[in-house]
Amino acid sequence: MPRKAFVEDLQQAIGSFNHQRTSEVKFGVEDGSLTFNYALPTHGGLIVTVQALVTDVGEYPSSHMYMIYTTSENIPAHVSEEIQDVGTLDGLRVGDMLSKVTKRLDKATAGSEHDPVILDEDAMDCDGASTEASEPELQEDSDPESIGAWSPTTPVHPTHASGGVPSRTRSSSMILNANRRIRSDMLLTKEAGFRVGYLGLPVNDAEDFLITVSIRVAKLGISEEAMQAWHLKPHQYFILLLRYNSGYQPLEDLLKANGAPHHSQHVLFRVGLSYRYNVSRDAAMEAFSQTKAKDESQYEDEPIQKQDSDRSSRLYPCFIGTPLQELMNKRLLSIITYRNALGFGWKGAEAWYTDHQGSNWSTDDGVDAKYYAPDTSNQAVALPRVVINDHLERGTAQPSFPLVAMQFALRHLVRCTEFCLVCHAPVEDDFEALKPYVCSKPLCLYQYMSFGFGPSIEHDIISQPHVVDLLTSFCYASAAAARLKNLPNGLSLSVPAPSLLPLRAGSPVYSGYNSLTDAGNSSGGATQPKSSHAVQSTHTPKRYKAKFDQANMELIIPTGGPFFYTNQWIVLTFPSTTGECFHCRVIEALHPTVRLGPPINRSSLHINLGLQPENRPPIPYQSFAAKPTPPLPQALTPAATPPRQLPGESTRYPDVEIIVYDHNFDDLSLQDKQTTICTLLDTLPSVADMKEYLQSKLGKDMDLRKWQDRISPAAAGVLRWIIASNRSCIIEVDHIEGETLRASEERVTGMSQWMQFRFAQGAPDKEQRFIQSVRDTTATARHPTQYAWHGSPLHNWHSIVREGLHFQDTAHGRAYGHGVYHATNVQISLGYSNGGCVTHDGKSFGTWPHSQLEISQAVALNEIVNAPTQFVSTTPHLVVAQLDWIQTRYLFVRINASIKFGEEVQPSEACRQDPAFTPTGADGKRIVIPITAVSRSRRPVSKAVPKSDKRIRLGRGSQIDDAILLSDDTDIEDLQILLSDREEPEAVLTPAAPGLEQAAKTDFVPGTLDQDSLQLLKPPIYATSTGTKALQRELNTTLKTQDSRPAHELGWYINRELINNMYQWIIELHSFEPHLPLAKDLKAKGLTSVVMEIRFGKEYPMTPPFARIVRPRFLSFQYGGGGHVTAGGALCMELLTNSGWSAVSNMESVLLQVRLALSSTDPRPARLEQGPVKDYGVGEAIEAYVRACQAHGRAAPRLGYAIEVLASDAESLAAAVPIHVPDGITATTELLNDDNDNDKKKKKD
């Protein structure tokens, strides 16, 4: 038998395969798979786990094929590539396959000294010579004639192997030019609307250079529904981390290296989420190492202080991080090459890559026009400019690679539902999904489910266990009713033959509108046409007989009996009983004895987690119910174990029959597939138990598949398919604590005995299309929308959450026309949701036995465009044919009767409903829908903002948290990447000064500011010679920078004639980018600069200076302004508070930060007030500054100099009268420097 031959060969290899770097050859989790560990000769002996899978064991050992891959994360790229491109292994026996794979790995790792993972790797020896050979060794099967420069007509894609990169010494001029290019690329990225930072020293050709490019999620134009479905928060940053492993490389050099033979991958990518624009170096090292990043939920049990310190600087995993990183690391440079060579856009270049990868191609006959077709995606049209901008289209002579990479990453993040998560090709156009998925190719589905490209079901089980229970229950009901349309084909699931299993208790009898006999004939049935290429199983189902030692959970196989192997799953049945079967994993196979794991059957509701020590025999979860048996011992010792008796010597070992998990799920009939799904779900533990198991693994590798004794690979695969294939967004509204359901303000009242879920469907732009339909149809109506119920039998909801509401199938007739049927009375809709499957004794047959919810009915509440005259019918049902007019809002389910419902909570604010179409709930009353059911943009505008509300209401009622309005400040270290150049090559980013010979590129004219229009101050009373000299040195350094840079590049100007004392600087900010609204407003008012004043306190540089705008006045946040300017003209930046200030900060970096803040468009650009140009008063600036610091919990410095000079001048004193310092803080106790200054001020008063 083929399987037996494979098992024998593998067992022989386990015992005899000998290789100095190979260890732990063993059976894999999947049928026909094996694993082994390979220790790299360098990298500290890093262990790589290699997996080998025989795609069809039935073809072994002659015509079978192997799939070779690794589950180790972030191994050196050249090793990963070697594993993927290991060559032909078809028809090789296990031992020969192991020999060839290890030989290829030996060759790939021989002599390699460079590790693209370890950040502190140094590829140079102490003398500066390269540790790499001068000429790379040709890889096996390579063609010497093909080595040369890559061109657009090269027959294969450039591959990414990572070998050693020789270090090289550079001259000072080369270093200066490189640093100048770094600055140019970073500035282009910043000007495009992104935040930039670096986590390495770009000094003297540093080998390690890490860049972060980030943008706040709130700026990406993602709908609220999509953010919920994708586990994103608007105040988070999406971060792209780029690591250059041989010093910074501009795009041109990367493309040249990408086309060279045996090239190294000079740049690696990681993506993730953070609460700051940048992450710590430790977080970056973790992202590029094998340590798996913690999910945010793993910090919940840690101390609050540790959470706060870790939270802001960590890189959290992104929902599509794995496939997006795979795409960028393997394809981005090749796709850019095609764009440059053939003139494609992103769409055409990606399509060209997909169509021509691995094949010979030529442009001699021209290029198909389809590759030049514009991108007409519906989503792309409505997205913000920052998402759809294309830097390469601008034709820049020296494009910024970080900017290009970020734009590409956002293309596949924000529009993720348009692309397959595995092959990255556009998905089918016939269905819209709110969550990303894969195309219809079987290989894509297999990789998506099996190799971790799909979403984390472990995260869903922990964060939303009731949603997982809901989805599993829907699938179970649909399979029990033989109504499943799409099935988990292509996953290589090994299952027991359904024909051999005893029937589960009770035979199904279908009630309602469909019967078992006509289910396949109705348009909504599960029947599928037989495929002409369907593979029919040639394996005859067979039962095997053995003796069973229940005390030790061991089988005693008779002579000539079947051969079992470790990790194989089997089913035990007892001839003396009917209807009971027990599923077990083979723990150890030492024939004729086979030791089994704990038995599982359909009634295994409450289980032990099986966390006993490894050296103790596992304790069965329950005793077999067929006959009373003595309790199993808690532990067995060799002395307590009875002596082994041969089969037939005693009758105290009962006979059992064995059914092996040896049938391919894909080969089963349609009916058997649905029966098998029910069988596998019967063996799953409850969601609560799965959550408890995963929480016990926090901080470790949380993978449900590791619970090997409790969940079979087939059952785990079906569960993963159920969760991952859900394309709707379902959010828990209620929470069950013990036996009580706790209500929240987001509940719809009038449905007191129903559990509720928020429910959204469609593509990410489905909500926008619904809103547009409202605007186009009922924008002027008093009630633009209405709400109505939609009911359907329980077995239909598995399809509804995947396909959406449509009327392609006729299940209940079409007496009132074609469309989606609704009712305003829930009892009518509930009448359509009663059809289901019951047993002869009247009990529900379609209820998943391990469900905590025990769902028996479901109904949805939809929001509909309120245009009844355009409905297909309004009596007795509302029939709507326009699908864009329907948006689901809530899902209601009837659950376990033993769960008690708490008292309903009335929503604090409710949606306005049309009195003529207000739905009636199950309580017989009109329902009340919370305002949170609709998107923020459609909520009514609030006329007043409560004082306790620390949010600002903007136009059309939207609310933006202060945390989103005010970005966190750029670190001083990151600012240096944007600062001016200095002469010394040893300094960070120090290219030679470009000189002043360049023509002026600004309308700003230095020295034209009217001195009489400013209040120049005398030195403060606390001025000391030491402090004055320190400030003078800082001023001289700043002026030296000003003199060495062209005005249009610098963007700020200090007039020496306006410096009366070192403690007050007058600065003009100018030469803003012409596309900025601020630049346009300045030009419209005839201005060329923004005048700013900086005042230094007694404790400078230990405390920050006070900075404010003098003129012109800016539009405040409250009225739609931005730029981090408060209503009084002070600058609201963490850098200028005690919380964010650093004593090492220099004024050049402060000025750059201020100018960048004014240029920022996050979340809105800075604008000027309408009307004539006016100045700010220093009093209102101080008041606004203190108020802003308190609102954000930042420590405000003492503003002694600012208020001292204010009070000492008669004219300013009058202006100071209206100052109102919030929360009882007095100027004499908090805003002055010390008690002496306070006394002097009082005397002057």
Side-chain angles (χ1 to χ4, degrees):
M1 294 176 59
R3 180 171 280 100
K4 185 175 183 180
F6 171 78
V7 171
E8 290 175 348
D9 284 356
L10 180 52
Q11 284 197 326
Q12 182 180 359
I14 292 173
S16 61
F17 186 75
N18 186 18
H19 183 270
Q20 61 179 352
R21 297 177 190 167
T22 304
S23 61
E24 295 189 28
V25 180
K26 58 185 179 181
F27 285 92
V29 176
E30 305 288 342
D31 183 30
S33 67
L34 64 103
T35 69
F36 66 91
N37 291 339
Y38 182 88
L40 301 182
T42 56
H43 312 86
L46 179 67
I47 300 298
V48 179
T49 299
V50 181
Q51 307 269 357
L53 174 66
V54 178
T55 56
D56 189 347
V57 181
E59 297 178 348
Y60 190 90
S62 56
S63 57
H64 63 284
M65 299 174 61
Y66 288 96
M67 179 182 292
I68 308 295
Y69 59 97
T70 177
T71 55
S72 300
E73 295 184 0
N74 303 315
I75 62 174
H78 66 292
V79 176
S80 177
E81 290 292 335
E82 193 66 34
I83 293 173
Q84 294 180 19
D85 301 328
V86 72
T88 302
L89 302 172
D90 300 355
L92 294 180
R93 286 186 174 269
V94 172
D96 296 334
M97 179 273 298
L98 288 172
S99 298
K100 184 168 184 178
V101 172
T102 53
K103 181 179 178 182
R104 291 292 298 266
L105 290 175
D106 289 344
K107 199 164 190 176
T109 56
S112 175
E113 297 292 339
H114 185 77
D115 185 355
V117 177
I118 305 303
L119 297 180
D120 295 325
E121 180 70 20
D122 186 1
M124 295 289 294
D125 61 19
C126 57
D127 297 325
S130 171
T131 57
E132 293 290 330
S134 59
E135 304 219 355
E137 182 181 358
L138 294 181
Q139 296 184 5
E140 185 177 338
D141 300 330
S142 63
D143 181 5
E145 296 181 0
S146 66
I147 298 178
W150 182 87
S151 70
T153 57
T154 303
V156 294
H157 286 298
T159 57
H160 290 263
S162 181
V165 179
S167 293
R168 55 196 179 281
T169 57
R170 293 185 179 182
S171 65
S172 297
S173 61
M174 294 175 66
I175 296 174
L176 296 177
N177 289 332
N179 289 346
R180 187 180 295 115
R181 180 58 186 273
I182 295 172
R183 180 178 303 104
S184 172
D185 286 355
M186 294 300 97
L187 285 173
L188 286 172
T189 307
K190 181 73 177 177
E191 291 167 1
F194 301 104
R195 306 290 298 275
V196 295
Y198 75 91
L199 298 170
L201 292 178
V203 122
N204 295 336
D205 196 26
E207 289 297 315
D208 294 322
F209 192 85
L210 290 95
I211 292 176
T212 62
V213 184
S214 62
I215 186 171
R216 207 182 283 274
V217 171
K219 297 179 62 177
L220 299 179
I222 303 173
S223 68
E224 293 178 44
E225 292 77 16
M227 279 197 278
Q228 287 181 335
W230 301 350
H231 305 293
L232 300 177
K233 299 174 183 177
H235 56 279
Q236 288 178 319
Y237 285 91
F238 172 73
I239 291 185
L240 172 64
L241 185 61
L242 301 89
R243 178 181 175 267
Y244 297 83
N245 54 31
S246 58
Y248 185 81
Q249 300 283 320
L251 178 58
E252 310 89 77
D253 292 350
L254 289 173
L255 294 181
K256 290 178 182 177
N258 185 59
H262 308 286
H263 72 280
S264 300
Q265 188 172 351
H266 291 286
V267 61
L268 297 171
F269 303 96
R270 293 293 183 271
V271 296
L273 301 169
S274 182
Y275 290 92
R276 286 197 75 239
Y277 79 94
N278 206 351
V279 297
S280 67
R281 185 175 177 86
D282 288 342
M285 293 176 67
E286 183 177 306
F288 284 102
S289 71
Q290 285 190 312
T291 304
K292 188 174 182 180
K294 280 189 178 182
D295 188 272
E296 202 168 343
S297 62
Q298 297 186 33
Y299 289 90
E300 294 177 355
D301 297 329
E302 294 184 356
I304 298 297
Q305 296 83 353
K306 190 174 189 301
Q307 289 183 38
D308 293 339
S309 61
D310 288 348
R311 179 185 174 96
S312 62
S313 61
R314 281 201 168 271
L315 186 70
Y316 296 102
C318 178
F319 70 108
I320 60 165
T322 300
L324 185 54
Q325 289 168 178
E326 186 84 1
L327 169 67
M328 299 189 68
N329 282 311
K330 289 192 173 182
R331 299 189 183 184
L332 178 56
L333 289 175
S334 296
I335 291 173
I336 296 175
T337 301
Y338 297 144
R339 290 201 59 178
N340 290 346
L342 302 173
F344 297 145
W346 285 124
K347 178 182 177 182
E350 290 184 63
W352 183 272
Y353 185 104
T354 301
D355 294 344
H356 295 85
Q357 57 180 324
S359 62
N360 296 321
W361 60 275
S362 171
T363 59
D364 295 341
D365 299 329
V367 178
D368 195 317
K370 70 177 184 180
Y371 298 110
Y372 296 97
D375 192 343
T376 57
S377 166
N378 292 330
Q379 288 193 51
V381 174
L383 290 173
R385 298 289 307 174
V386 71
V387 176
I388 61 177
N389 281 341
D390 189 349
H391 181 53
L392 292 178
E393 280 189 348
R394 300 178 61 182
T396 307
Q398 293 183 333
S400 168
F401 179 67
L403 174 56
V404 173
M406 185 62 167
Q407 290 177 342
F408 182 79
L410 290 184
R411 167 181 167 84
H412 282 267
L413 171 78
V414 180
R415 298 170 57 185
C416 61
T417 59
E418 299 182 30
F419 303 98
C420 171
L421 285 181
V422 176
C423 70
H424 308 289
V427 295
E428 303 84 354
D429 297 329
D430 58 348
F431 177 70
E432 297 177 335
L434 189 59
K435 300 172 75 173
Y437 198 50
V438 294
C439 63
S440 57
K441 300 173 186 174
L443 182 58
C444 289
L445 181 62
Y446 179 81
Q447 293 180 341
Y448 178 70
M449 298 295 180
S450 302
F451 297 158
F453 289 126
S456 170
I457 67 169
E458 289 78 12
H459 176 274
D460 287 344
I461 290 172
I462 291 177
S463 61
Q464 294 205 105
H466 299 320
V467 173
V468 176
D469 194 321
L470 178 88
L471 295 173
T472 307
S473 298
F474 282 167
C475 179
Y476 192 93
S478 187
R483 302 283 295 181
L484 282 179
K485 298 180 180 180
N486 298 312
L487 294 157
N489 295 316
L491 301 185
S492 297
L493 301 178
S494 293
V495 299
S499 60
L500 299 181
L501 296 176
L503 292 176
R504 302 198 307 277
S507 299
V509 177
Y510 292 83
S511 64
Y513 293 91
N514 295 289
S515 67
L516 182 62
T517 56
D518 64 17
N521 298 326
S522 66
S523 59
T527 56
Q528 297 176 349
K530 291 186 177 181
S531 173
S532 59
H533 58 273
V535 178
Q536 299 298 323
S537 176
T538 58
H539 182 54
T540 303
K542 186 176 181 180
R543 293 174 182 265
Y544 302 98
K545 294 184 178 182
K547 295 288 185 178
F548 180 58
D549 179 358
Q550 180 177 332
N552 297 303
M553 287 300 297
E554 291 181 348
L555 293 173
I556 305 171
I557 309 299
T559 303
F563 185 88
F564 297 97
Y565 58 89
T566 304
N567 292 329
Q568 188 176 32
W569 276 76
I570 62 174
V571 183
L572 300 183
T573 62
F574 292 81
S576 59
T577 64
T578 58
E580 287 287 353
C581 57
F582 302 88
H583 302 250
C584 306
R585 181 178 75 96
V586 175
I587 295 178
E588 186 178 53
L590 299 175
H591 290 268
T593 301
V594 176
R595 191 158 69 96
L596 304 178
I600 303 164
N601 72 347
R602 190 170 188 263
S603 59
S604 301
L605 295 177
H606 303 288
I607 59 174
N608 181 346
L609 292 181
L611 302 179
Q612 54 265 55
E614 293 182 0
N615 59 348
R616 291 180 56 186
I619 307 303
Y621 296 115
Q622 68 170 51
S623 61
F624 295 96
K627 295 181 180 179
T629 56
L632 298 177
Q634 293 299 310
L636 293 175
T637 63
T641 304
R644 173 69 54 229
Q645 293 182 330
L646 295 177
E649 290 185 350
S650 174
T651 58
R652 67 190 185 94
Y653 296 137
D655 292 326
V656 294
E657 292 184 341
I658 306 168
I659 305 167
V660 183
Y661 278 52
D662 59 356
H663 274 61
N664 189 338
F665 179 87
D666 296 357
D667 297 340
L668 302 179
S669 67
L670 178 60
Q671 181 64 46
D672 282 347
K673 286 180 179 179
Q674 307 201 60
T675 302
T676 299
I677 287 177
C678 289
T679 299
L680 294 174
L681 294 181
D682 284 341
T683 67
L684 281 178
S686 68
V687 178
D689 286 330
M690 288 188 278
K691 178 180 178 180
E692 184 179 351
Y693 169 80
L694 293 173
Q695 288 179 329
S696 71
K697 299 294 183 181
L698 287 179
K700 304 175 184 177
D701 188 8
M702 293 195 307
D703 189 344
L704 206 59
R705 290 174 294 187
K706 298 295 180 66
W707 199 4
Q708 294 180 334
D709 282 347
R710 184 60 184 89
I711 302 177
S712 68
V718 170
L719 179 64
R720 187 171 297 274
W721 168 75
I722 291 172
I723 299 175
S725 62
N726 167 42
R727 303 186 184 187
S728 299
C729 177
I730 305 176
I731 305 295
E732 295 179 6
V733 172
D734 303 320
H735 303 281
I736 298 177
E737 299 177 3
E739 296 295 324
T740 304
L741 185 142
R742 302 297 182 188
S744 70
E745 284 194 8
E746 292 192 2
R747 272 184 67 89
V748 174
T749 62
M751 298 287 288
S752 59
Q753 301 301 308
W754 291 70
M755 189 173 185
Q756 303 183 14
F757 297 85
R758 288 290 304 275
F759 189 37
Q761 292 186 293
D765 65 334
K766 177 67 161 60
E767 179 73 16
Q768 281 70 31
R769 297 206 310 270
F770 175 76
I771 294 174
Q772 189 60 47
S773 299
V774 173
R775 292 173 181 170
D776 295 343
T777 311
T778 59
T780 59
R782 180 178 178 84
H783 300 286
T785 65
Q786 65 177 88
Y787 293 85
W789 303 102
H790 176 82
S792 188
L794 197 62
H795 54 249
N796 285 343
W797 283 98
H798 175 83
S799 296
I800 291 176
V801 298
R802 284 155 180 79
E803 300 176 5
L805 292 173
H806 57 73
F807 46 93
Q808 298 172 3
D809 303 333
T810 303
H812 302 149
R814 297 282 175 81
Y816 301 97
H818 293 278
V820 180
Y821 280 61
H822 296 82
T824 55
N825 190 326
V826 73
Q827 298 299 337
I828 296 176
S829 295
L830 291 179
Y832 287 85
S833 65
N834 279 327
C837 181
V838 297
T839 60
H840 286 296
D841 58 7
K843 295 182 180 180
S844 174
F845 180 83
T847 302
W848 180 40
H850 303 285
S851 172
Q852 180 187 14
L853 303 182
E854 296 184 14
I855 299 170
S856 57
Q857 270 186 299
V859 64
L861 180 66
N862 298 337
E863 187 177 11
I864 308 170
V865 175
N866 194 8
T869 58
Q870 300 183 46
F871 292 174
V872 177
S873 175
T874 57
T875 305
H877 306 289
L878 304 177
V879 183
V880 184
Q882 300 91 335
L883 296 183
D884 280 347
W885 286 20
I886 306 170
Q887 190 72 325
T888 54
R889 297 301 181 193
Y890 280 86
L891 180 66
F892 300 79
V893 294
R894 189 186 295 278
I895 62 173
N896 189 343
S898 65
I899 296 178
K900 300 177 182 179
F901 285 78
E903 185 178 351
E904 280 201 321
V905 179
Q906 292 292 330
S908 56
E909 191 174 358
C911 294
R912 298 171 184 172
Q913 299 187 62
D914 188 344
F917 293 98
T918 301
T920 303
D923 297 344
K925 302 176 182 178
R926 292 191 171 190
I927 64 172
V928 178
I929 304 171
I931 193 67
T932 53
V934 299
S935 57
R936 293 182 185 272
S937 62
R938 295 177 51 233
R939 298 175 191 173
V941 179
S942 177
K943 296 182 179 180
V945 180
K947 293 183 179 179
S948 61
D949 191 349
K950 293 185 178 181
R951 294 182 292 181
I952 300 174
R953 292 186 182 269
L954 305 176
R956 300 181 61 191
S958 64
Q959 290 185 338
I960 302 179
D961 293 341
D962 287 337
I964 299 177
L965 275 172
L966 304 177
S967 298
D968 49 325
D969 296 324
T970 305
D971 295 339
I972 296 300
E973 294 81 1
D974 293 334
L975 285 175
Q976 295 187 30
I977 203 168
L978 305 173
L979 291 178
S980 62
D981 304 330
R982 295 187 174 90
E983 296 295 339
E984 300 83 1
E986 293 79 15
V988 175
L989 293 171
T990 55
L996 301 179
E997 66 276 4
Q998 300 181 25
K1001 299 180 180 180
T1002 176
D1003 56 359
F1004 173 74
V1005 180
T1008 57
L1009 183 61
D1010 184 6
Q1011 179 175 345
D1012 295 335
S1013 65
L1014 302 171
Q1015 180 189 11
L1016 300 182
L1017 306 176
K1018 298 178 181 179
I1021 58 177
Y1022 57 74
T1024 63
S1025 59
T1026 302
T1028 302
K1029 289 181 180 179
L1031 280 170
Q1032 186 172 6
R1033 286 195 299 270
E1034 185 68 38
L1035 178 62
N1036 289 337
T1037 300
T1038 307
L1039 291 175
K1040 182 180 178 181
T1041 298
Q1042 177 177 289
D1043 295 340
S1044 64
R1045 292 287 301 278
H1048 73 277
E1049 290 185 6
L1050 195 60
W1052 51 263
Y1053 175 75
I1054 300 175
N1055 190 341
R1056 292 174 169 83
E1057 297 180 1
L1058 297 182
I1059 303 295
N1060 283 358
N1061 70 84
M1062 294 296 105
Y1063 295 85
Q1064 181 195 30
W1065 295 9
I1066 303 297
I1067 299 102
E1068 292 181 85
L1069 305 174
H1070 59 82
S1071 303
F1072 295 96
E1073 290 297 322
H1075 69 275
L1076 292 174
L1078 175 59
K1080 297 176 182 178
D1081 289 352
L1082 287 171
K1083 187 173 183 179
K1085 290 181 178 291
L1087 302 176
T1088 60
S1089 67
V1090 174
V1091 182
M1092 184 178 72
E1093 177 189 30
I1094 294 181
R1095 302 186 183 187
F1096 297 89
K1098 176 182 178 180
E1099 299 175 357
Y1100 178 86
M1102 303 310 296
T1103 60
F1106 173 66
R1108 72 180 185 95
I1109 301 297
V1110 176
R1111 76 171 72 98
R1113 295 182 73 94
F1114 280 67
L1115 197 64
S1116 65
F1117 293 141
Q1118 186 175 0
Y1119 297 101
H1124 304 263
V1125 181
T1126 66
L1131 291 166
C1132 184
M1133 300 168 57
E1134 188 176 7
L1135 172 67
L1136 298 177
T1137 66
N1138 283 342
S1139 306
W1141 178 256
S1142 172
V1144 300
S1145 301
N1146 59 64
M1147 290 311 298
E1148 182 183 351
S1149 66
V1150 172
L1151 294 179
L1152 177 60
Q1153 173 78 310
V1154 169
R1155 191 174 183 278
L1156 291 175
L1158 293 180
S1159 301
S1160 173
T1161 58
D1162 180 12
R1164 296 186 303 276
R1167 301 299 301 268
L1168 300 182
E1169 276 189 358
Q1170 299 295 322
V1173 177
K1174 295 181 180 180
D1175 289 8
Y1176 287 105
V1178 66
E1180 61 178 324
I1182 293 173
E1183 180 184 7
Y1185 175 76
V1186 175
R1187 185 172 59 247
C1189 287
Q1190 290 183 332
H1192 297 288
R1194 297 170 178 172
R1198 297 175 181 178
L1199 306 179
Y1201 186 33
I1203 293 184
E1204 177 189 301
V1205 297
L1206 176 68
S1208 64
D1209 183 84
E1211 295 180 1
S1212 297
L1213 181 60
V1217 174
I1219 294 181
H1220 300 287
V1221 180
D1223 294 342
I1225 296 179
T1226 61
T1228 57
T1229 59
E1230 294 291 337
L1231 298 180
L1232 297 182
N1233 278 30
D1234 50 36
D1235 293 338
N1236 292 333
D1237 290 342
N1238 291 346
D1239 293 337
K1240 293 174 182 179
K1241 178 183 180 297
K1242 291 178 181 177
K1243 292 177 181 179
K1244 292 182 180 181
D1245 288 343

